[in-house]
Amino acid sequence: MLRKKTNSVGQRAGRTSILAEGTSSSVDRRAFLRGSGLAIGGLAAISATGGSVTQASAAASVTGAVELKKSVCTHCSVGCTVIAEVANGVWTGQEPGWDSPFNLGAHCAKGAAVREHAHGERRLKYPMKKENGEWVKISWEQAINEIGDGMMKIREESGPDSVYWLGSAKHNNEQAYLFRKFAAYWGTNNVDHQARICHSTTVAGVANTWGYGAMTNSYNDMHNSRAMFLIGGNPAEAHPVSLLHMLKAKEQNNAPLIVCDPRFTRTAAHADEYVRFRPGSDVALVWGILYHIFENGWEDKEFIRTRVWGMDEIKKEVAKWNPEEVERVTGAPGSQLKRVARTLANNRPGTVIWCMGGTQHTNGNNNTRAYCILQLALGNMGTAGGGTNIFRGHDNVQGATDLGVLANTLPGYYGLSDGSWAHWARVWDEDLDWLKGRFSDAEFDGKKMMNQTGIPVSRWIDGVLEDAENMDQPDNTRAMVLWGHAPNSQTRMKEMKTAMEKLDMLVVVDPFPTVSAVLQDRQDGVYLLPAATQFETRGSVTASNRSLQWREKIMEPLFESKTDHEIIAMFSEKFGFKDRIFRNIGFEGNEPIIEDITREFNSGMWTIGYTGQSPERLKLHMANQHTFDRTTLRAVGGPADGDFYGMPWPCWGTPEMNHPGTANLYDMSIPVAEGGLAFRARFGVERDGDNLLAEGVSNPGAEIQDGYPEFTMQMLMDLGWDGDLTGDERAAIDAVAGPKTNWKTDLSGGIQRVAIKHGCAPFGNAKARAVVWTFPDPVPIHREALYTNRRDLVADYPTYEDKKFWRLPTMYKSIQDQDFSKEYPMVLTSGRLVEYEGGGDETRSNPWLAELQQDMFVEVNTRDANNLGIRDGSDVWVEGPEGGKVKVKALITERVESGVAFMPFHFGGHMEGVDLRDKYPEGADPYVLGESTNTAQTYGYDSVTQMQETKATLCKIWAA
């Protein structure tokens, strides 16, 4: 749909419009910019803020020295370096980072346009609230006082869980950590962010297979791959720069690229083998490939014997998936899958890559575990060129997940147990009893609210709308804070509108007003607080490969916007715990010192090794990017000699230990001290009499050349290694739990240091588990989507029984038992475009990107279009089985097969055919508006994590 178009969009008087140049002429760049009001927008913005932004002097810019500032792109998770040219505080130009080992001097369309994101004129300019249906400018002081008073009233009447704190993958690590700490001090686990709806099923599935829930290798390590198996991802559009690394493997190694996707994407165009399969049948597809691997004895038997538990159970399930049954369920021919299996077997090491196409399903955790098992069977784990390269979506969704902006854990995946809270109370120097007193004293199923998982963001609307007596919390959600979140990225938007209108209070903290500002029809009780972008602050950010990078501050916050950490400090002061939450964190004026926050999480996140990446080491890496090898990521000489770029976690011990980081997880070919690892001993030492520890294998130099459990002080004592502890380390260990202190709770890092000194991994040396006995499906199995048109498969592959978890009743079978397929015969799926990102508020407010894609659309197969009487470019209605419908353009294409429709999820600002532009604050409406696919998307949540199901629902389409 990248085409010029004529203007057929109605406008409202007095507003600038992209397409204001007339109804007959095509829209070229000059007309687009002129029609967008950019010629006069700068001066208008200055006057709108009462002169708080000074007009830049061209002469001063020419004569002033130009500073170069290094930052990181704020879109996807590749972590591309942006070099900003700054003159007199004004960001005047940008270049890609040529020294960066990640982007190697490249940018995608979004990355090339980030300067406009920071300087964007569609940003919120000052705090506002809805008053009698109109947006009114208010001061920060008034905003914090009114919001704070309202929240404290709700807290007193309904308890702290009735305020929901929704965080963001756009926070840097320091802000994410502080946000989760802030929620704890408020007294709730009703805190979450976008990871819930993009890769929560990855984190759960992968972590429960081999210990950590993250990408195991890196974009760069794909240079070593001999084969690449990509399923449910479209990096050519979603992570364009990553494609450089994939294509290098194709060219350098002649590595075959296998792309499995229901849609022929731009990435599929690069494939050596494209496998089209039915949306939601991932497990069946992978088992169909493994069928041939096991049938022919192509699995790595020695790797399985020494490092994998439960593969015999997998073989029993896979044996059911003969080529005929696989084709019946997936549509993929058995002969093609045998060819794929042979390709993977003959080209090792190979890597498996996946994105949200595999995660956003009711059985998403089964999908991600099936991908992992494929790699375990092939022996492709713990090796360069292998691994599971999981492409995360947002620039810091990995970091925000690691830092615990989640409803089910504290920072570092410590969980919510009493021991976890005790650990973080020690890190915070906080009185544990005081912290406990901040939470409701209610109990459900014998568990206190402090230990209960919160409501996930995917279900926040049910926290508002569900009958309180059906919930595992004292009362409904009454106030919702959307802090850097696009609501149109979530399903069931008609119900979301109802929920927003039922709230006592809706608060948006964001550089842009977002769809939250216009979706609801409230007359009051809505607040918009302008947050600064990540280019207006400094701090660390974690790329998809677990590397941390340090952003420099490019410019001062624009207009009246404030940084996220300053806003947290303002709320903390209002709620009376500022002195407590910042007791170990200093201030620069009104802003908490970022480096102090980094050091605080360094002192507590022992589980995943966020302890060695001090601000000083991170800044050293950014200043010396040119010294790091572009494939191994290891520095060759220079001040960071031997380190892996960004010290990908785990970076064990204290910064003084100088651990280099871990480029490839579970790599037994190198010592632990140099970045090697085993599989984590997270699941005990035996199961039903079977050994769960590794068999006769360990890292080079390890003094235990066999499997071993995770390290505790008692284990050091039993081995006679406790004498290697310093006096300070021993005292710190004794202060926690003496001999029972383990590698995760020792605040000195001594247990980790001594274990590594003797060549061992602090978290043990175990087998990966192919069978997860704690999950609803211990062995991954295929289950039909809730809304499926394959009624013949429901009896054989039914969904789950309805159940209650994550505080809320959740429907499965009661929906699937109803047949919607006659009225809604087509499968509806969704995905990304190269021009936009996330909910699109930032990118659709960027004129350079907005020009490229001006219409929301649905892709429809040629046969379906002809049968439905739809023409290319015409308006059509797309309706889901829950009644939500959208009016969009039809794009007739063979990208999708007959019976499948695709829509991108970046649009918002229209609702069921109604243009909501009038409802935005003046001058803050994105240039491009459109329907959200999630208005038509339906109910459906993963059985472990409550991930939303957006890739396999039903719809009907007709001409508008």
Side-chain angles (χ1 to χ4, degrees), residues 1-5 237 263 266 833-836 849-860 871-875 888-893 895 902 904 907:
M1 291 289 285
L2 302 185
R3 57 186 183 181
K4 301 300 180 186
K5 59 187 285 292
E237 298 204 66
R263 177 173 172 256
R266 292 183 179 182
L833 301 175
V834 70
E835 299 87 359
Y836 296 141
L849 298 172
E851 180 193 5
L852 300 176
Q853 184 61 63
Q854 298 171 31
D855 289 297
M856 170 59 172
F857 60 90
V858 59
E859 290 184 355
V860 183
R871 300 294 297 271
D872 188 58
S874 64
D875 287 337
V888 297
K889 297 290 183 186
L891 174 57
I892 312 306
T893 177
R895 290 180 201 158
F902 165 89
F907 289 83

Side-chain angles (χ1 to χ4, degrees), residues 5 16 62 153 155 163 172 225 320 337 367 425 506 510 522 596 652 755 786 808 821 920 957:
K5 59 187 285 292
T16 61
V62 170
K153 182 174 183 289
R155 180 188 178 92
V163 178
N172 62 30
S225 298
K320 304 172 186 176
L337 295 190
N367 294 345
L506 176 65
D510 200 280
R522 300 179 65 105
D596 285 356
W652 297 115
L786 296 195
L808 291 163
S821 63
Y920 282 93
I957 302 174

Side-chain angles (χ1 to χ4, degrees), residues 181-361:
K181 184 180 181 182
F182 172 83
Y185 275 60
W186 170 259
T188 188
N189 293 323
N190 279 341
V191 53
D192 215 8
H193 82 290
Q194 289 89 347
R196 179 70 49 202
I197 55 174
C198 59
H199 272 290
S200 62
T201 45
T202 292
V203 174
V206 177
N208 279 281
T209 299
W210 46 55
Y212 282 149
M215 179 189 267
T216 62
N217 292 43
S218 67
Y219 297 108
N220 301 69
D221 182 66
M222 289 187 290
H223 304 173
N224 297 310
S225 298
R226 300 294 171 177
M228 293 172 286
F229 180 88
L230 170 65
I231 185 166
N234 181 19
E237 298 204 66
H239 309 81
V241 173
S242 73
L243 209 64
L244 295 177
H245 301 290
M246 297 174 68
L247 294 179
K248 183 176 176 67
K250 269 179 67 79
E251 296 163 6
Q252 177 177 280
N253 307 334
N254 200 27
L257 172 62
I258 301 160
V259 174
C260 305
D261 202 290
R263 177 173 172 256
F264 188 80
T265 62
R266 292 183 179 182
T267 306
H270 293 279
D272 298 277
E273 182 91 47
Y274 168 61
V275 182
R276 193 192 291 277
F277 70 105
R278 189 171 64 93
S281 60
D282 300 57
V283 173
L285 186 85
V286 174
W287 284 175
I289 295 168
L290 271 177
Y291 179 91
H292 296 289
I293 290 171
F294 291 143
E295 186 86 356
N296 291 279
W298 293 335
E299 73 271 27
D300 189 328
K301 298 177 181 63
E302 181 62 11
F303 183 89
I304 292 169
R305 183 188 73 80
T306 58
R307 300 194 67 187
V308 182
W309 179 85
M311 193 62 82
D312 287 342
E313 291 298 308
I314 300 299
K315 287 184 176 181
K316 292 176 186 175
E317 176 64 24
V318 168
K320 304 172 186 176
W321 290 93
N322 58 61
E324 294 73 28
E325 184 63 4
V326 172
E327 185 165 359
R328 180 172 86 100
V329 172
T330 70
S335 58
Q336 184 181 33
L337 295 190
K338 184 174 183 178
R339 187 166 62 245
V340 168
R342 183 183 290 110
T343 300
L344 293 174
N346 289 339
N347 295 276
R348 298 186 231 196
T351 188
V352 169
I353 304 161
W354 73 84
C355 304
M356 296 193 299
T359 63
Q360 292 182 330
H361 297 273

